[in-house]
Amino acid sequence: MRSHYCGGINESHIDETVTLCGWVHRRRDHGGVIFLDLRDRDGIAQVVFDPDTPDSFAQADRVRNEYVIQITGRVRRRPEGTENDHMATGQIEVLGKELTILNESATPPFPLDEYTEAGEDVRLRHRYVDLRRPEMAQRLRFRSRVTSYLRNFLDGEGFMDVETPVLTRATPEGARDYLVPSRTHAGSFFALPQSPQLFKQLLMVSGIDRYYQIAKCFRDEDLRADRQPEFTQVDVEASFVTEEDIMNAMERMVRNLFSDLLGVNLPEFPRLPYAEAIRRFGSDKPDLRIPLELVDVEDLVQNVDFKVFSGPAKDRKGRVAALRVPGGSELTRKQIDDYTEFVGIYGAKGLAYIKLNDRSAGIEGLQSPIVKFLGEEATMAIMDRVEAADGDLVFFGADKASVVDEALGALRVRLGHDLGMVEGEWAPCWVVDFPMFEEDDDGKLHALHHPFTAPVSAEELQNNPAGALSRAYDMVLNGTELGGGSIRIHDEATQNVVFNSLGIGKEEAREKFGFLLDALRFGAPPHGGLAFGLDRLVMLMTGAGSIRDVIPFPKTQNATCLMTDAPGEVDEKQLRELHIRLRRSAKSDQDDSN
C-alpha cells in the first residue's frame, strides 16, 4: 500500500513519486492550499494539496486529525524560507496527486503531541491513541533498539538465549507471588515467576554455561514510579565465573550500550561497600551526582539532655546523623516545613535543623529551636564535624537506623534537585559487600537479596549469620538500581545453612526446594549472574518520568489496566472448574440481608 515511510523520505527522493500511508497529524488550510502533516511510526511528512487536483483536494478538505489515509504524490523541495530544521523531512514536501481515506476517526481524547496536558489516567485508558504520539513511538522504538543491542552483545559473548517456564511454583523472593489456580489439580496453584532465578541456576547445573533471556517477571507488590506488577528483565547467568568476571562483562555491556546508542561515555564505576553507601548516602542505590553526605554524630549526643537525640544514640539499632546543606540558611520556614512533611513519608517523626549565621559568634550565631537542648559543647562539636560554614543549614535524623537512612537519604536527593546541586549527567557505581541477611524488629533474619546468594565466608555464615557478608553486587546509575546479581551457592551444605538461618526447616526446604537441593548434589559448577531491569534502563536512557512511559501497556499504581478494565471478575462456571469459591465481604452479606 505504500512505497516509503513518512519519516524516510528526504532530498534524495526529489522528483520521485511516492505513496505514503498514515494518520493525519495536523491539517492546515492556507488560502486555498491544504497542508496535511502525515504521520507514521517513522516520522512526519508534509503533504500539499492544491485545487489543480480537484478530487484529491476535495478529499483533503474532508479529512480531520487522526483520519487514516493513503496519498500518492511527487516529492519536491520546500519553497525557500519554509524549511523546517526541526523535522527530519523539513527540507522537502510531497505535492499530493491522489488521496484515499482508509478510515475516519472520532475526535481524539487528547492532543497527540509532546505538549499534551492529558492526565495519565486518560492516556492509559486510550493507550492505543497515546502510543501514536511521536514521543511515545520514539521511546518504544528506542526500547526495541536497546533489546536488539543487548541480544547482539550477549550473543557475541557466547551467551545462549534460553526460555524458562512462566508457570512455576511459589518461591520466597521478597514479594508476593501472582498465583494461578490449576484446573487439573484441585486446590493447587502455579505461581508466575518473580524472576527466572532457580531455573537459570539449574541451567548452569545442566552445562549450558552461559545463559541469557529477556524475561517477563511478575511481583504482587506496592507500586511506585519504577515498579510494575509485570516487568521485563535482562537475565544473565554464567558458570565458572567470579564477581569480577560478571561485573566487568556487564559494565562493558552497559558502557557500549550508552556509547553506541546515545553517544555517551559513562565515567568510572566506583565500587562502594554497602555499609559505606548507607553511612554516607542513606541508600544502597546512591545518586553520586549529588555532593551532599550524611555524617554520624551519635557519639557527640549520647549524653545530652535532649532525649530525641540521646535515645537513638544509645540504641544499638538507632542512628543520629547530620546532613549539611551549603547555603541552606536561605531556606524559608515554609520550605523547611515542606521537607519535614516529606521525610514523614519515610517514617521520620520530625526534622530538626540548625542554621549557621555567624560561626565567629559561637552558639549565638546559630538559629535553631534545638540548640538550647543540645548544649553549646555538643552543638559546636557537631558543627566542627560536618564542617559547617556561615550560611549553611544542618538537618538531623534521629530514630531507628532504617528510618534515618531512608528519610535523610531521600531528603538528600530531594534537596540536591531542588537546590540545583546535581553535578554532571551520569554517575554510575557498583554497590558491593552486601550483608547476607537483614534483621526485623523480632530478630528474625531475611535474605537481603535472595536465599541462593553465596556468602563471602562459609565460616562467618555458620557462626555469625547476622554479620555475614554476601557475594552480591548491584549496578546503580543516577540513584536507580539498574541491575542486581551475585555469585550463587553451588553446594547443598551451604544452601541448607542459609535455609536454616532463615528459619526454613529441613522439611519445608525439601518441600519447596527439593529439586534445587538435589541438583546441587549432581555436580553443580560455581556460577553467578545478574539481572537488569530493562524498563528502568530504557526509562533512564530516554529521560522518561516513570517506567510506565516506556512500557506499551502498563498498569496503574494500583495494578489495574484502565484500557481493558483488568483485573476483572470471572463467571461461576470458570470458578467451579478451578475449584474456587469466593468469600463474600461482610458488606456484601449485609447488602443482601437488606
Side-chain angles (χ1 to χ4, degrees):
M1 293 184 71
R2 61 186 167 196
S3 63
H4 298 77
Y5 281 95
C6 294
I9 55 175
N10 52 49
E11 292 170 275
S12 69
H13 299 98
I14 288 176
D15 291 331
E16 289 185 17
T17 297
V18 297
T19 299
L20 307 176
C21 294
W23 289 263
V24 176
H25 189 65
R26 189 177 294 107
R27 175 188 177 279
R28 306 184 303 281
D29 190 335
H30 289 179
V33 177
I34 296 174
F35 292 84
L36 299 181
D37 288 343
L38 189 63
R39 184 193 70 243
D40 62 19
R41 75 169 199 182
D42 271 16
I44 296 176
Q46 178 172 282
V47 186
V48 184
F49 290 90
D50 59 38
D52 291 343
T53 53
D55 291 342
S56 296
F57 186 82
Q59 287 285 71
D61 192 46
R62 280 188 54 209
V63 302
R64 295 294 181 266
N65 287 2
E66 299 312 305
Y67 274 36
V68 186
I69 64 173
Q70 178 192 56
I71 69 97
T72 298
R74 180 174 59 85
V75 180
R76 68 184 187 184
R77 189 178 301 278
R78 291 196 187 192
E80 187 176 352
T82 66
E83 301 91 342
N84 186 343
D85 294 333
H86 299 294
M87 291 178 62
T89 60
Q91 303 304 311
I92 54 91
E93 62 187 13
V94 178
L95 178 61
K97 297 299 183 182
E98 300 176 14
L99 187 155
T100 303
I101 297 176
L102 301 174
N103 206 349
E104 297 183 359
S105 172
T107 301
F110 46 82
L112 270 67
D113 56 41
E114 63 271 28
Y115 306 111
T116 181
E117 296 181 357
E120 188 180 54
D121 57 338
V122 177
R123 290 173 50 212
L124 292 181
R125 188 169 289 111
H126 302 277
R127 189 62 161 184
Y128 42 84
V129 174
D130 189 40
L131 292 178
R132 293 183 198 168
R133 293 195 299 121
E135 180 182 41
M136 295 301 297
Q138 288 166 12
R139 286 173 179 166
L140 292 190
R141 187 165 185 164
F142 186 83
R143 182 186 176 112
S144 177
R145 292 178 63 199
V146 170
T147 56
S148 294
Y149 189 97
L150 296 177
R151 285 186 187 278
N152 290 335
F153 179 92
L154 292 167
D155 287 340
E157 294 287 318
F159 287 84
M160 187 186 302
D161 185 357
V162 183
E163 295 179 351
T164 55
V166 173
L167 291 177
T168 179
R169 67 171 297 150
T171 57
E173 291 200 40
R176 290 180 293 273
D177 289 303
Y178 277 101
L179 300 178
V180 180
S182 171
R183 178 183 61 82
T184 54
H185 297 82
S188 295
F189 294 81
F190 294 106
L192 302 181
Q194 296 186 35
S195 81
Q197 180 62 45
L198 294 179
F199 287 103
K200 67 179 181 180
Q201 288 191 241
L202 294 175
L203 287 172
M204 297 303 101
V205 180
S206 304
I208 295 299
D209 193 78
R210 289 193 166 201
Y211 140 97
Y212 82 91
Q213 182 182 187
I214 309 294
K216 273 288 188 181
C217 303
F218 307 84
R219 295 182 184 176
D220 185 7
E221 60 184 349
D222 296 332
L223 305 180
R224 298 193 296 272
D226 60 347
R227 297 282 176 90
Q228 279 280 293
E230 58 176 310
F231 56 95
T232 306
Q233 188 164 288
V234 182
D235 210 47
V236 178
E237 197 82 4
S239 297
F240 305 108
V241 291
T242 65
E243 295 93 319
E244 292 300 317
D245 295 327
I246 293 289
M247 293 166 72
N248 289 338
M250 296 299 98
E251 183 175 324
R252 182 159 46 87
M253 182 177 76
V254 171
R255 282 189 180 280
N256 290 353
L257 175 70
F258 272 73
S259 176
D260 291 354
L261 267 58
L262 294 182
V264 168
N265 293 317
L266 291 175
E268 178 186 357
F269 283 64
R271 305 207 174 174
L272 286 173
Y274 171 88
E276 180 183 347
I278 294 295
R279 177 176 55 81
R280 293 172 58 191
F281 309 111
S283 172
D284 60 0
K285 43 182 181 295
D287 189 340
L288 299 185
R289 298 172 302 165
I290 297 170
L292 305 178
E293 294 192 18
L294 280 60
V295 177
D296 285 315
V297 295
E298 291 98 339
D299 58 312
L300 302 179
V301 296
Q302 281 189 352
N303 299 316
V304 300
D305 293 332
F306 193 34
K307 302 300 182 186
V308 172
F309 278 20
S310 61
K314 294 175 181 177
D315 187 343
R316 179 177 66 87
K317 296 184 178 181
R319 184 181 187 186
V320 184
L323 178 66
R324 180 177 70 90
V325 183
S329 63
E330 298 296 323
L331 292 175
T332 66
R333 182 54 191 259
K334 182 183 184 307
Q335 288 175 301
I336 293 174
D337 288 344
D338 288 343
Y339 289 128
T340 302
E341 184 177 348
F342 173 74
V343 297
I345 298 171
Y346 301 90
K349 301 179 183 68
L351 185 61
Y353 69 91
I354 296 175
K355 288 185 177 183
L356 183 53
N357 297 324
D358 182 3
R359 183 67 186 265
S360 65
I363 199 167
E364 298 300 323
L366 306 181
Q367 179 183 344
S368 169
I370 67 168
V371 168
K372 60 184 177 182
F373 301 111
L374 286 177
E376 182 172 2
E377 181 179 353
T379 300
M380 299 313 296
I382 292 171
M383 295 299 104
D384 289 339
R385 178 166 296 180
V386 301
E387 300 180 352
D390 289 354
D392 291 352
L393 177 146
V394 181
F395 283 120
F396 295 91
D399 209 311
K400 292 180 181 177
S402 59
V403 173
V404 173
D405 296 340
E406 286 198 38
L408 286 191
L411 179 63
R412 169 185 171 271
V413 174
R414 172 80 178 268
L415 286 166
H417 285 279
D418 287 355
L419 303 182
M421 295 181 174
V422 177
E423 299 176 350
E425 188 175 2
W426 303 103
C429 70
W430 286 101
V431 177
V432 298
D433 295 337
F434 283 84
M436 281 287 290
F437 310 107
E438 55 186 347
E439 190 175 349
D440 64 20
D441 292 337
D442 297 325
K444 185 177 179 180
L445 298 181
H446 301 272
L448 194 64
H449 272 72
H450 54 62
F452 317 110
T453 300
V456 170
S457 166
E459 182 179 354
E460 185 75 7
L461 174 66
Q462 185 76 50
N463 299 329
N464 180 28
L469 296 181
S470 70
R471 298 176 68 181
Y473 36 82
D474 282 1
M475 181 186 287
V476 176
L477 181 63
N478 292 2
T480 296
E481 178 195 328
L482 280 188
S486 68
I487 300 300
R488 324 301 187 186
I489 295 169
H490 68 278
D491 66 280
E492 183 186 16
T494 303
Q495 189 63 74
N496 278 324
V497 173
V498 170
F499 285 155
N500 185 62
S501 299
L502 293 170
I504 300 174
K506 289 185 178 180
E507 187 174 330
E508 183 183 358
R510 173 53 54 180
E511 177 191 353
K512 292 182 176 179
F513 306 107
F515 62 95
L516 173 67
L517 294 171
D518 288 342
L520 295 179
R521 294 171 50 232
F522 286 93
H527 59 282
L530 185 145
F532 287 100
L534 178 64
D535 311 303
R536 293 183 188 178
L537 179 60
V538 177
M539 175 186 73
L540 283 176
M541 295 183 77
T542 60
S546 87
I547 62 173
R548 293 188 296 280
D549 286 332
V550 298
I551 297 174
F553 301 102
K555 306 294 187 293
T556 64
Q557 287 197 349
N558 63 352
T560 61
C561 175
L562 296 178
M563 186 181 67
T564 63
D565 200 24
E569 296 180 355
V570 299
D571 60 37
E572 285 292 333
K573 181 175 181 294
Q574 284 181 286
L575 292 175
R576 285 196 300 271
E577 288 177 343
L578 295 171
H579 319 286
I580 291 176
R581 178 182 297 166
L582 296 180
R583 293 179 60 183
R584 296 190 299 179
S585 66
K587 183 179 184 302
S588 297
D589 291 338
Q590 185 177 7
D591 291 343
D592 289 347
S593 65
N594 292 337

